[in-house]
Every structure is written in structure tokens, then in C-alpha cells.
Amino acid sequence: MGLLTFSDPKLRNSRLIREMVFIALLVGFSSFSSSGSHSMVRNLHFRNLDLGNDQEKEIHQFRMLNRRHLIECPLVNRFVEITTDADNSPLRDEQNVTVTVSGILHPSDNDWLAMISPSHSSVEDCPLNNLLYKETGDFSDLPLLCHYPVKAAYLKNDSDYLSCKKNTCQQKAPDGSCILTTCSASLTFHVINIRTDIGFVAFANGFGAPCILGRSQPLQFASPNRPLYGHISSIDSTGTSMKVTWVSGNNASQLVQYGNGKSDKSAVTTFTQQDMCGAIVKSPAQDFGWHDPGYIHSAIMTGLQPSTRALSVSAALEEEVASGNYDSIFHIGDISYATGFLVEWDYFLQLITPFASRLPYMTAIGNHERDYIDSGSVYITPDSGGECGVPYDTYFPMPTPAMDKPWYSIEQGPVHFTIISTEHDWKPNSEQVSFGCPHSFFAKSGRVLFVIDIVKTLLFLEQYNWIKSDMASVDRTRTPWLIFTGHRPMYTSAAAAIVSVDPVFVNSVEPLLLQNKVDLVLFGHVHNYERTCALYNGKCKANPVKDDSGIDTYDNTNYTAPVHAIIGMAGFTLDKFSPIHKGWSLTRIEQFGYARIHATRNKLSLEFVNSNTRQVEDSLQIIRK
């Protein structure tokens, strides 16, 4: 993420832009959750936490349990009972639910508890799900549950469980002594309104060969149709209009009220399992990972004054955003890491609500939103789990040319942002053979298929032509700084550099950066922080010099080449750097954090902030005299 300060009164009376590139899990923000429950509760929602090594091992195990053969335990235990402290009242939009599993005859450290939704979901044996999960790129030979569990935790997380301190006498001898004792455990789960009812299932035998001990009764949400998880985004560069988007279980148009009595009715959309991509077999998004998204509402607020704030539904706000010094948040690719497990989108939207409802939350698409076999992506990988950009486009309507054309530009103070999709074709020609259409019925007619291929050939050129036109049209007297952003990088010295950088992408697009004198290039995808010299064609065209404060300074008065920065350091896990140090790589940091960008008419600066220590660990500035 980054901060951008505007100091020129001629530009706009706003001050800071915050950049969040490749914050796939927003790990650095988990401690700012309005409930604070993530730091207290050790149940494993395995895509949203910044955890220590021990907990990371548990996350790995929890992933594995989603690929296991489940049956009813062969030895029936009639004493098992699962109750919650919410059994007698509907669930609120957000709360902690304490679940008690009682009647356990032989406590084991392999006993665990899962939260499922809907409550009737099957968690028994589904052998074919092993093949389905392999489509996401995981080749472990482990069958999946019939339906994806939302969260899970070991019963031993209750420290009294294995010692059976919480016990009940189930049968007494004639002399009054207890001859049959059962044990219990209580765990707390953080629950948010995902519209469908939830339930809890207890398992024995660990992750290797689990079996079902019992289920709780279903728990309903009090207000499944309530508008929730609102976030705002800019629709143009004026700062006087904003789009507000939220989720509801109600498909009727809803009303946004803002300003002094202004209002606008929402446009409503949604998506279905049939909208998800699938190959020969169903994808996770079509099958065991599916969760009903409800209805996504969007409305436009117009006639706003620049630098004023929208009302927020959240009481807790990340502290830097709460300072009022920011204009926007940019999140460039791999937004929620749902990868076909749709309930993850709800948890992600709930996570970002405290700040995304206050500031424009601007996004770009990444491989884990778009890529899938036969979907039209540049990269034929299963990374989206079959989502193929549908949830992304629906949840985050950006000012793009159209659906599934996720590129756009926007201006903030003295900065012009060109935001592209690295997952859609960016080549300057149509030499690539057109790929198959994801909708099989098109293939029934050779004539229809031929028409589709022509359209695709034209689309091959569309993004490249847009990038070329957009950057060439920038008025550098009005917005002197040009920042280019996309998900996959052009340069990285990470250990996985070979699979992270596409030389065809570099050869196609990098010349446009030089031709249009791009100042700063921001990428994600690689989960670390790295900064380069002024770089082109793999060579340093200029190196920074230290100013009086010791900050690396690039002088673009006589422009040479753009500076590249990978700011993917709030991603799912951190990526290791290669022991081979490239000459163009000036700074390499393997720490979670974010970037702050500050801009005036004559200076653009970037700081890397360690999210654990809040210390600035790298600084650069680009000047123009």
C-alpha cells in the first residue's frame, strides 16, 4: 500500500493516496478488525491471517482436511452433543459463537470441529473432489469433503479437553461410583452474516481418516437481507462522484442516502454456479467451493465535494486511514484469494469494510481472480478455481470499458494511474492462436466459432491499444507523474522468478513505459518488496543518489527509464529471494508491510513500512526540477 501527499493547491485540496498492491489477504490489517476476534480465537479461517510458524503449520493442515475422505464414525457414540450459546437466538451480523462439544468418550488431539454453511451441506465422502481440487493446481492425492467448510479448529484448543477436566458422569454403579464418564470442549468461532444458515460438525480421527461424530442444529442469521460490506470506488478523476457497492440477501433495489438529503437507488446484480468456469469436470467454484453470493448492489453518489468523506458503517478503522490523510486505496490483484471457495469473498469484504467504506477502494485483477483453463486468460492455469473474474467484476465494479475488460486509468492530484490486466492479452499483434471458447455450445457451428475467433483476434489488440493511447494522452502539465500498475511483474529476483516473469509481456509492454516516460511501475504477484534502479531492457539506465537526508533520489529532469517496485509484501506468504543478486535490484526485503506514496508537483516519494514494527525500512524519491 502507499501514501501520496498533494501539496500544490492548484491541483486539488486532497493530501494522501494510499496504495495497496497485492494485498491478497490484507494480513497487515487483521489486528484492525472491528471485533478484534482474529487475535483471540484460534479457529482457522485459513486465508485471512498473519500467523506465526506454529499457526502456519495448522493452516497447512486445515487446507489438507478439505481433501479428506469423511464417513460417519463406525462406533456410534450416543452421548455426543453439539450445542452453542446462540441456539436460542438468531445470529447477529457479526459475533463470536461459543460451541460446546460434549459426550466424548475418549478425547484425542486429533478431534476437531468445523463450521459449515449452509447447515445441510454434505461433509461425507466425495472421492471425485480429489480430481476437482487438482484443477486448482494442488496435486495431493487427497479426496475433498463434499462441501467446503468455512472454518475449523482442534478441540484440544480448549486446554481442559485432553485432561477431561470438563466431564459428565453418564452411568453410575449401584454403589454410586461413576463407571462411564464423558468429556467436553468449548471453542469460539468468529461468525459474520453470510446470509445462509450455519452449522457445526465434530470429527474424530484427525485429518488422515476423519469420521463424523455429530452435528449441531442449524443457526439462522437475524437479518439475512441486511445491506452489508459496503465499499466505495472512484468512477472518474473528478473526485465529485463515487460508486458505493454492497452485498445483501435482498434482490429488490435499495436506497443510498448521502449529503444533504440526496439519494440514489441501487442497480442489482448477482452470479450463479452456471457463471463459473469449468473444464472437463466441474471446478471448485462450480461445485464444493460454491456459496450463494446473495445480491450485489451499486449506486452512484454525485455532486460530492473533493476531500469530504462518506459515512461509514464501521466503528473501527485502520489507524492510518482514520487519520483522514488519505484519498484512495489501491489493491492490484489477488484480491481475496478465494480461488473458487466463494464464502471467502464475504469474509474478505467484511475485513476491508472499516476502511473501504471510507475511501475509494480501487482494484485490478490478478491471476487468482481470472485465470482458468479455457477461460480466455493469457495464462492457462487453474489459479482462480473456476471463478474466471466473475465474482471480482461483480464485487468490484471499476471504471473499466466493460465487464471482463478490467483495465482503466484514473487521476489523483498530480498523479495519473494506468491500471492494466496482466491476465488479459496485452500483445501488440495477433500472432497468438485464438483459444477455445469457454461456452461449449458455441462450438456447435463452425461458422459461429469462426466469428468468435475473429472477435478474439480483435480483443488481442484491444488492451495494448488502450495502454498505448491512455499513456500517450496524459497531460503532464496537469498530472506530471505517471504511475503504471499491474499484477504480474516485469522484473523480480525472487527464487521463483522464472515462473513469475513473462518475457513476452516485458517485450510487448515495456517499450511503452519508456516511450511515455513512466516514472514509477508498481507490481504485485511476488510476495516481497523489491526496488530497482531506473531500469529498461534488463539494464540500469540511471542509479539514484543520496540526498542530504540519505534518501535514494532519482532525478527525472533528464528522464532515463522507469523505477520498478514490487510491493506484494502483504500477500498470502512471503517469497524468498534468489541467492543470485541482480545488478538492477537495489533493495530486497522479506517482511510483511505496505508502501506509502507522497506526491507534490515536483517530487514523488515511496516508503516501505514494516507492518509489524511500523518502521520505514526503505525510501526513495523521484524529482523533477
Side-chain angles (χ1 to χ4, degrees):
M1 57 184 86
L3 308 179
L4 180 55
T5 303
F6 304 124
S7 300
D8 191 333
K10 296 179 180 178
L11 295 171
R12 184 161 71 84
N13 186 27
S14 57
R15 293 165 54 194
L16 291 173
I17 286 181
R18 178 164 183 192
E19 177 88 16
M20 189 184 308
V21 177
F22 196 81
I23 310 291
L25 305 180
L26 290 169
V27 240
F29 298 104
S30 60
S31 61
F32 299 110
S33 170
S34 58
S35 68
S37 59
H38 294 310
S39 61
M40 298 184 294
V41 183
R42 287 179 60 88
N43 55 75
L44 301 174
H45 183 244
F46 69 85
R47 297 171 192 261
N48 70 344
L49 297 180
D50 180 9
L51 301 175
N53 291 334
D54 291 340
Q55 290 172 296
E56 286 176 355
K57 291 177 182 178
E58 292 185 23
I59 285 180
H60 176 68
Q61 291 174 316
F62 179 44
R63 286 182 175 190
M64 292 176 63
L65 71 86
N66 289 302
R67 306 189 286 277
R68 297 291 179 169
H69 180 95
L70 297 181
I71 58 174
E72 298 290 339
C73 291
L75 298 178
V76 177
N77 179 355
R78 62 187 176 89
F79 300 111
V80 173
E81 186 178 13
I82 303 176
T83 59
T84 78
D85 60 359
D87 281 350
N88 299 318
S89 59
L91 296 170
R92 301 188 300 274
D93 293 335
E94 181 181 11
Q95 69 179 84
N96 288 335
V97 174
T98 299
V99 185
T100 299
V101 181
S102 59
I104 302 298
L105 290 169
H106 304 290
S108 166
D109 58 4
N110 288 322
D111 298 338
W112 52 279
L113 182 67
M115 170 181 156
I116 62 171
S117 183
S119 63
H120 61 268
S121 299
S122 173
V123 289
E124 297 181 353
D125 176 29
C126 288
L128 290 179
N129 283 0
N130 183 34
L131 178 61
L132 293 175
Y133 200 87
K134 284 182 177 179
E135 286 194 322
T136 69
D138 190 315
F139 294 96
S140 302
D141 188 19
L142 301 169
L144 274 164
L145 313 188
C146 291
H147 195 274
Y148 168 66
V150 180
K151 294 190 177 188
Y154 289 105
L155 293 183
K156 66 182 179 182
N157 286 352
D158 182 334
S159 59
D160 294 331
Y161 179 62
L162 296 179
S163 61
C164 201
K165 289 183 179 179
K166 300 174 182 176
N167 58 72
T168 302
C169 182
Q170 301 289 356
Q171 187 176 347
K172 293 185 178 182
D175 62 1
S177 62
C178 187
I179 59 174
L180 182 61
T181 299
T182 59
C183 311
S184 66
S186 295
L187 303 176
T188 301
F189 285 77
H190 177 228
V191 174
I192 66 168
N193 189 343
I194 53 176
R195 298 166 302 282
T196 54
D197 63 355
I198 66 171
F200 294 91
V201 184
F203 299 92
N205 293 347
F207 301 159
C211 62
I212 301 170
L213 290 169
R215 289 176 179 252
S216 73
Q217 68 178 44
L219 300 178
Q220 308 283 343
F221 287 98
S223 303
N225 293 335
R226 187 193 303 276
L228 292 168
Y229 317 138
H231 57 91
I232 60 177
S233 57
S234 298
I235 63 173
D236 54 36
S237 300
T238 66
T240 61
S241 298
M242 292 285 169
K243 176 175 287 187
V244 57
T245 303
W246 67 95
V247 180
S248 171
N250 192 340
N251 65 352
S253 183
Q254 297 173 343
L255 193 68
V256 167
Q257 294 180 322
Y258 63 98
N260 297 319
K262 294 183 178 181
S263 63
D264 186 46
K265 286 186 176 182
S266 65
V268 187
T269 187
T270 190
F271 52 90
T272 68
Q273 282 178 279
Q274 287 68 41
D275 295 320
M276 303 295 98
C277 284
I280 298 174
V281 293
K282 289 183 178 180
S283 68
Q286 288 177 319
D287 195 64
F288 55 86
W290 172 256
H291 183 267
D292 190 333
Y295 299 93
I296 295 86
H297 297 248
S298 290
I300 304 294
M301 300 184 293
T302 60
L304 304 177
Q305 294 298 315
S307 299
T308 57
R309 305 294 178 194
L311 293 177
S312 174
V313 299
S314 176
L317 197 62
E318 194 269 346
E319 62 186 34
E320 288 189 288
V321 174
S323 69
N325 292 330
Y326 303 91
D327 286 336
S328 296
I329 301 169
F330 282 77
H331 184 161
I332 310 299
D334 288 359
I335 305 301
S336 73
Y337 259 101
T339 63
F341 300 100
L342 276 301
V343 74
E344 299 289 348
W345 281 104
D346 282 282
Y347 274 90
F348 177 79
L349 292 170
Q350 189 267 347
L351 181 67
I352 67 172
T353 293
F355 38 92
S357 60
R358 290 283 183 95
L359 302 178
Y361 198 86
M362 310 307 294
T363 63
I365 203 165
N367 55 301
H368 285 293
E369 285 79 55
R370 187 60 181 81
D371 295 0
Y372 202 70
I373 302 164
D374 204 23
S375 70
S377 294
V378 173
Y379 305 100
I380 309 304
T381 68
D383 294 348
S384 78
E387 292 182 10
C388 297
V390 174
Y392 166 79
D393 279 333
T394 310
Y395 285 123
F396 292 95
M398 295 292 109
T400 59
M403 291 287 285
D404 205 31
K405 296 181 181 181
W407 49 84
Y408 64 97
S409 64
I410 198 160
E411 293 180 349
Q412 303 270 341
V415 181
H416 181 99
F417 289 92
T418 297
I419 300 167
I420 75 157
S421 168
T422 56
E423 313 311 301
H424 291 73
D425 203 275
W426 22 251
K427 290 185 294 298
N429 54 57
S430 57
E431 293 177 357
Q432 179 175 326
V433 177
S434 58
F435 34 73
C437 180
H439 303 291
S440 59
F441 66 88
F442 284 140
K444 293 180 180 179
S445 166
R447 179 174 298 177
V448 174
L449 184 59
F450 176 71
V451 171
I452 291 170
D453 285 347
I454 291 176
V455 172
K456 288 181 178 180
T457 299
L458 294 175
L459 290 177
F460 281 161
L461 291 166
E462 184 172 1
Q463 184 175 200
Y464 178 85
N465 288 340
W466 176 86
I467 296 170
K468 184 177 180 180
S469 174
D470 178 73
M471 293 198 297
S473 67
V474 178
D475 182 354
R476 302 301 282 266
T477 63
R478 185 168 59 88
T479 49
W481 302 108
L482 177 53
I483 296 180
F484 181 90
T485 65
H487 183 59
R488 295 174 184 260
M490 292 182 176
Y491 296 95
T492 175
S493 63
I498 293 178
V499 297
S500 298
V501 172
D502 183 348
V504 179
F505 172 56
V506 178
N507 293 336
S508 297
V509 179
E510 189 181 29
L512 295 178
L513 306 183
L514 192 70
Q515 293 167 18
N516 293 282
K517 298 185 177 180
V518 170
D519 298 289
L520 181 63
V521 181
L522 300 175
F523 288 119
H525 193 61
V526 179
H527 299 199
N528 55 37
Y529 173 83
E530 186 167 22
R531 170 170 62 90
T532 74
C533 57
L535 178 63
Y536 182 73
N537 197 25
K539 298 179 180 178
C540 288
K541 298 301 182 181
N543 281 298
V545 297
K546 302 288 186 183
D547 73 352
D548 294 339
S549 302
I551 297 175
D552 277 3
T553 302
Y554 303 78
D555 190 344
N556 276 11
T557 305
N558 296 311
Y559 181 83
T560 55
V563 176
H564 290 245
I566 291 178
I567 47 179
M569 57 281 180
F572 183 52
T573 56
L574 291 171
D575 288 335
K576 297 292 184 182
F577 285 105
S578 167
I580 302 174
H581 199 115
K582 301 289 186 178
W584 43 257
S585 179
L586 303 187
T587 304
R588 308 197 305 179
I589 300 175
E590 294 177 24
Q591 295 289 337
F592 287 112
Y594 53 93
R596 292 196 296 233
I597 301 176
H598 175 157
T600 66
R601 179 173 292 275
N602 299 316
K603 183 170 69 175
L604 175 70
S605 64
L606 180 146
E607 295 176 322
F608 165 67
V609 182
N610 184 313
S611 59
N612 294 317
T613 66
R614 302 297 179 85
Q615 298 299 308
V616 175
E617 296 198 9
D618 185 51
S619 299
L620 70 92
Q621 58 186 9
I622 305 172
I623 63 172
R624 185 175 289 111
K625 299 174 183 177

